[in-house]
């Protein structure tokens, strides 16, 4: 049994931490939202009133926080992890953050005698619930090996990607590619419609041809074609425009810093931004098909 501190009990953290309890670990959980701490208690997590209380005596600290700024504050704040954790504690960040924050986490943790592994995840809320997430681990070899064992009860796949920040880099590049796939799929689906093709017939062609992609197979943005797609449910989110925009933006920022041109990713970022500007950030990211529509109407969407 390992003593684990879990910081951030939101959509992902509440579900992921519950699997660690099921695996027999002692998990103390903290979130700034009282109701989420109470909710976590019903999954066997011991709710505590501060980060300091959570990490006191813990062998492992795991973060699941919205953005880089939250991660930095939770680690280096007055009542933070660095101030309260024991030397050599293993710290895993499962949040999706910018590359600079991840590099900062590694250097600041290591300067204080902690072990840090960037540990972002893919698979969404469903993957968190079903313990089928893909974990992408970046860090020193021995720390990644230790992290692998800890994350196993929450994972379908655990990938040791490489050095510090390589886990988050892989996550951002992957999600950038997903964004570009959504762009291609949306334009294809709309053009097929305008050319008079039946949606199912075109999907059947693309599915076994060179236009195929994970996005197409899973999220085809026309109602009645792919059972789990948001298009069948008024574009209620499975992966929200807001989260997709966040990930693509972080990837585009990383590309700019690296001097890499990513025009397609920049375009989908801007399309997602327009959804956010119009108040549809909570809707599914595949609602970007709206951008291809002559009058802004989208099959399967009530426009609200
Ligand atoms: P969320 O907003 O539901 O959860 C984050 C939690 O962190 C919230 O409950 C918030 O109250 C808490 N928090 C914020 N500041 C805090 C602090 N100082 N101390 C303690 N708790 C604090 O977000 P989520 O959907 O659970 O995502 C968490 C992370 O995982 C994000 O970085 C996200 O990008 C990433 N992610 C999400 C998904 C997804 O589908 N939701 C998939 C993969 C990765």
């Amino acid at each position: 049994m390992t003593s684990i501190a879990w910081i951030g009990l939101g959509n992902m953290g509440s579900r992921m931490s519950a699997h660690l309890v099921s695996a027999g670990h002692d998990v103390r959980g903290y979130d700034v939202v009282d109701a989420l701490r109470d909710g976590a208690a019903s999954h066997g997590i011991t709710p505590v009133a501060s980060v300091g209380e959570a990490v006191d005596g813990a062998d492992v600290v795991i973060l699941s926080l919205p953005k880089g700024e939250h991660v930095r504050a939770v680690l280096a704040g007055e009542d933070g992890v660095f101030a309260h954790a024991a030397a050599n504690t293993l710290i895993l960040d499962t949040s999706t953050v910018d590359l600079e924050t991840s590099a900062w986490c590694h250097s600041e943790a290591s300067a204080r005698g902690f072990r840090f592994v960037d540990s972002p995840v893919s698979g969404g809320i469903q993957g968190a619930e079903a313990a089928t997430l893909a974990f992408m681990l970046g860090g020193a070899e021995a720390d990644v090996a230790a992290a692998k064992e800890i994350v196993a009860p929450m994972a379908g796949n655990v990938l040791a990607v490489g050095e510090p920040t390589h886990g988050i880099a892989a996550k951002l590049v992957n999600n950038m590619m997903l964004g570009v796939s959504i762009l291609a799929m949306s334009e294809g689906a709309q053009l097929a419609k305008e050319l008079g093709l039946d949606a199912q017939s075109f999907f059947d062609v693309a599915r076994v041809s060179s236009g195929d992609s994970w996005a197409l197979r899973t999220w085809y943005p026309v109602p009645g074609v792919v059972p789990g797609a948001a298009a069948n449910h008024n574009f209620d989110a499975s992966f929200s425009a807001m989260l997709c925009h966040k990930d693509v933006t972080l990837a585009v920022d990383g590309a700019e810093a690296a001097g890499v041109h990513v025009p397609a990713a920049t375009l989908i970022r801007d399309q997602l931004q327009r959804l956010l500007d119009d108040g549809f950030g909570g809707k599914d990211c595949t609602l970007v098909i709206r951008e291809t529509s002559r009058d802004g109407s989208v099959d399967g969407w009530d426009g609200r």
Side-chain angles (χ1 to χ4, degrees):
M1 185 184 76
T2 303
S3 174
I4 299 175
W6 193 287
I7 314 296
L9 297 162
N11 288 318
M12 298 294 286
S14 59
R15 292 171 169 86
M16 292 159 75
S17 54
H19 298 304
L20 295 178
V21 174
S22 303
H25 297 304
D26 173 27
V27 185
R28 266 172 284 162
Y30 173 71
D31 194 290
V32 284
V33 177
D34 294 352
L36 292 176
R37 299 204 295 271
D38 296 343
S42 67
H43 298 296
I45 286 145
T46 307
V48 293
S50 69
V51 173
E53 209 181 316
V55 305
D56 184 26
D59 307 305
V60 177
V61 176
I62 306 183
L63 312 181
S64 177
L65 296 163
K67 290 184 176 169
E69 68 218 52
H70 304 100
V71 169
R72 290 180 190 237
V74 162
L75 288 180
E78 229 170 82
D79 178 48
V81 175
F82 292 158
H84 290 274
N88 212 34
T89 299
L90 178 65
I91 305 170
L92 310 183
D93 184 18
T94 69
S95 326
T96 306
V97 300
D98 54 284
L99 290 156
E100 292 83 6
T101 291
S102 189
W104 177 91
C105 290
H106 278 282
S107 63
E108 294 294 317
S110 140
R112 292 168 170 80
F114 301 114
R115 298 175 291 153
F116 185 87
V117 176
D118 48 298
S119 315
V121 296
S122 181
I125 296 169
Q126 298 91 333
E129 179 81 36
T132 56
L133 292 170
F135 277 78
M136 305 160 209
L137 306 179
E141 214 175 312
D143 302 341
V144 167
K148 267 185 168 178
E149 286 191 26
I150 294 296
V151 304
M154 306 179 278
N157 290 291
V158 184
L159 302 144
V161 185
E163 295 169 14
T165 75
H166 284 192
I168 194 67
K171 162 80 184 173
L172 295 182
V173 175
N174 179 75
N175 281 29
M176 183 187 84
M177 289 167 66
L178 172 65
V180 175
S181 286
I182 292 167
L183 184 69
M185 170 181 77
S186 302
E187 293 186 3
Q190 189 71 13
L191 181 58
K193 176 187 158 183
E194 295 291 340
L195 296 180
L197 298 177
D198 172 67
Q200 184 68 53
S201 302
F202 173 67
F203 174 84
D204 291 343
V205 170
R207 169 72 188 83
V208 296
S209 304
S210 41
D212 185 32
S213 67
W214 182 92
L216 179 120
R217 260 171 277 136
T218 319
W219 290 345
Y220 198 69
V222 177
V225 179
V226 173
N232 298 319
H233 311 287
N234 194 29
F235 288 84
D236 289 341
S238 65
F239 185 43
S240 72
M242 201 164 42
L243 277 180
C244 189
H245 176 265
K246 172 194 161 181
D247 293 359
V248 175
T249 301
L250 293 177
V252 169
D253 291 349
E256 275 169 13
V260 176
H261 301 295
V262 287
T266 306
L267 185 57
I268 184 68
R269 178 200 63 188
D270 294 347
Q271 292 191 354
L272 289 161
Q273 180 66 57
R274 283 195 280 280
L275 281 182
L276 269 57
D277 291 345
D278 292 345
F280 300 125
K283 283 290 187 183
D284 196 69
C285 56
T286 58
L287 189 58
V288 290
I289 194 174
R290 184 187 76 149
E291 293 279 327
T292 66
S293 158
R294 218 177 269 133
D295 59 2
S297 71
V298 171
D299 291 346
W301 181 44
D302 65 8
R304 291 195 299 275

